[in-house]
Amino acid sequence: MQLTQKNINNSNLLLKVNNLSVFFNTPEGNIQVVKDANFSLNKGECLGVVGESGSGKTQTFFSITGLLSSNGYCKGSAIFKGFDLITSSEEEKRRYLGKSIGFIFQDPMTSLTPHMKIGKQLSEIAIFHEKLSSKLAMERSLEVLDIVKMPKSRDLINSYPHELSGGMKQRIMIAISLMCRPELIIADEPTTALDVTTQSEILSIFNDLKSNMNIGIILISHNIGVIAETSDNVAVMKNGLIVENGSTFNVLTNPKDEYTKHLLSCIPPWLEK
Amino acid sequence: MRTNMIKFIVKRLLIAIPTLLVIIAFGFIMMRVAPGGPFTSERALPPEIERNIQEAYNLNKPIWEQFYIYIKNLSVGDFGPSFKYKDFTVNELILSGLPVSVTLGLSSIIISLFIGCFLGIVAAIKRNTYFDYSVMSISLIGICIPSFVMAPLLSLFFGLYLGLLPTSGWNGGNVLNLILPITALSLPQIAVISRMMRASTIEVLNSNFIRTARSKGLSPSYIVRKHVIRASILPIIEYLAPASAGLMTGSIIVEQIFGLPGIGRYFVVGALQRDYTLVSGVMILYASLLIALILVTDILRALLDPRVKL
Ligand SMILES: Nc1ncnc2c1ncn2[C@@H]1O[C@H](COP(=O)(O)OP(=O)(O)OP(=O)(O)O)[C@@H](O)[C@H]1O
Ligand SMILES: [Mg+2]
């Protein structure tokens, strides 16, 4: 409660989501997969979103960014720097997408265009949004590959996605989200399917982005350990509802909701500090 | 890449030789098994004359020896004399028909590809709109009506009733004479290609990497041009060889109906009159074209999809 009060006239406020609902038209009828979600995010902070598979985490953020499948639609508002992403037209939204808002997708294996070189997949964003020349955009690509700690980036920009490992593709996805120096990054399970070392490397990249570049991060995960390591606030989702929302410390040490308690009890004891 | 490509092409051409030999042998046997011969006619010829003719065309030799002689001549590019067009060799006949058939076939395939792909992409982007529904239902009709029905209907309507276009003849390759035959040949292909292209484009539009492209805020037209088409056109490339085969068989009939002096017509005339060498020659030409097309298909696929290695 205190948290939302503080947010209302906070110039640090980056994203405020009010009463967001997501629906799908299916052959079996209309289904609602996100129910009246409310949350907010400040600059330079990280909001962790946890919840079991199918709880609606991904669709919540697809709806905000207009990436829902064609049978989906949404209601509510999502104010990004004073601009409502939900009611705006596709064209207006495109000015923000890829520029101020970067999206990192859940499945890096299939999320890169198979027939396009990595360098092009990165540079096209800056060419499009900032009208950079191909040469400058390519230099920008090398810079962001540096940020995500990709070695041999000069060879990398000439390779195709199928030539990269899963971890490398994951880093490329992060690099894509960084191309135009975003203010908000939505990272959908960026560390699943990675080994523990790579996972902690990537989490430390996020921590750097947050504190050094003042980027707001939304980190979706079903691994509460990952959330504990990076997030300032946590939202817990279950069956399309946000059942708990508050500072990471409060939620993890003093969970109010039964479901959160259950999630916490699932952490292996050796992970708790 | 380049040396790989050359190696690949040479390898495939070497494989093509036994394939062609089998096809030639098959055609050779089929023709001779069919009742009647090139020189059987209503009125029996005097035996001496018949013997002379048989001798001149080696028809009195055992069949395997005939085959051997035929292959030997083929290896130096000689398709032999025509049995029916007495003053011509098969080479001359094919060369005279080639310009007509190539003009017809190439224009049809290019037109079908462009129109089919374009309609398919637009229908996929505007799926479940009136545009989509009309393209899909018209194309269904196009698939159901074969060229040999379409061709007479077209010439009846545009040629006889409206009097807009000539219904037959080559006329030195005049564009007006080509419109109806090309239309009759292309329509079924346009129908098939537009449906395939629609299906594959919809699949690509729903894929994860297009969602990534959209998350970059790129314009829809840019996404279609740079991210969608190259992926969604792959099934069409695969279809190139079957489509050309369809066009070849279609052209046999269409050339006949529109009275075009192409290879397809020689094929029909040759088959009806047991002109062994002419039919074999045309068949070898068709088979080689198809083999070459499959080769081109494989090369195109490797060029379009970096995951495919030659
Ligand atoms: N196009 C669609 N049509 C119908 N239902 C859909 C569609 N896309 C997603 N859903 C449903 O929406 C619900 C929420 O899905 P969502 O992808 O948000 O889950 P998630 O929390 O991200 O799960 P995970 O952790 O497995 O990624 C699921 O029950 C899913 O079946
Ligand atoms: Mg998800």
Side-chain angles (χ1 to χ4, degrees), chain B residues 6 23 74 110 155 191 198 200 211 236-237 246 256 267 291:
Chain B
I6 293 170
I23 293 171
L74 266 189
I110 291 173
S155 68
R198 175 183 183 270
S200 75
R211 187 169 261 142
I236 306 294
I237 303 292
Q256 194 76 5
F267 190 71
I291 290 175

Side-chain angles (χ1 to χ4, degrees), chain B residues 261-274:
Chain B
I263 292 171
R265 224 168 53 147
Y266 287 129
F267 190 71
V268 176
V269 172
L272 288 178
Q273 307 202 350
R274 303 286 180 272

Side-chain angles (χ1 to χ4, degrees), chain A residues 59-75:
Chain A
Q59 304 310 323
T60 303
F61 294 97
F62 276 0
S63 69
I64 292 174
T65 44
L67 297 174
L68 284 176
S69 303
S70 51
N71 63 330
Y73 62 98
C74 58
K75 284 182 191 153

Side-chain angles (χ1 to χ4, degrees), chain A residues 58 106 188-189:
Chain A
T58 300
Q106 191 162 3
D188 194 354
E189 319 230 9

Side-chain angles (χ1 to χ4, degrees), chain A residues 51 58 60 98 121 160 179 191 248 265:
Chain A
T58 300
T60 303
Q121 304 203 35
Y160 289 98
M179 267 311 275
T191 61
T248 308
S265 71

